[in-house]
Amino acid sequence: NYSLKAAILALQLARRHGMGRVTITANPDNFPSRHIIEKMGAKYEGTLQIPPHLHSRFSEDELEKSIYHLSIISGGARSPIRRGYFLD
């Protein structure tokens, strides 16, 4: 699955830049993206409305975002995400 591989590469890069936790967003109705995010082990935090003053930056069907958080701090030699996928 290329989308999962791309996401894991992005997380590796984030960790190399010193990030320990990332915030990931997706449109609530984008079930394939949400599935990949959840497969990586990210925790769903809720859905938020894009504030009106930012509406011009988004298309009309993107005014809600599902918010996820994922810890990417290495727990040892290899840091498992979930189901056999690794950041290292």
Side-chain angles (χ1 to χ4, degrees):
N1 183 320
Y2 291 114
S3 56
L4 179 60
K5 289 177 184 178
I8 289 173
L9 288 172
L11 293 174
Q12 289 173 337
L13 183 62
R15 190 164 64 190
R16 286 188 187 126
H17 284 277
M19 297 178 189
R21 177 179 152 147
V22 295
T23 300
I24 306 167
T25 66
N27 289 345
D29 61 350
N30 188 338
F31 298 108
S33 289
R34 293 182 64 189
H35 175 74
I36 293 297
I37 293 166
E38 291 168 4
K39 191 172 186 177
M40 292 184 328
K43 181 181 179 219
Y44 175 72
E45 299 290 337
T47 301
L48 65 84
Q49 304 291 319
I50 301 298
H53 70 280
L54 296 176
H55 282 191
S56 63
R57 297 181 185 185
F58 296 87
S59 66
E60 205 165 299
D61 62 339
E62 294 186 333
L63 298 180
E64 285 187 333
K65 294 293 178 184
S66 295
I67 308 297
Y68 294 85
H69 287 112
L70 179 63
S71 174
I72 57 173
I73 297 171
S74 182
R78 293 177 73 179
S79 182
I81 294 179
R82 196 167 165 189
R83 298 184 187 189
Y85 296 101
F86 294 89
L87 288 177
D88 296 333

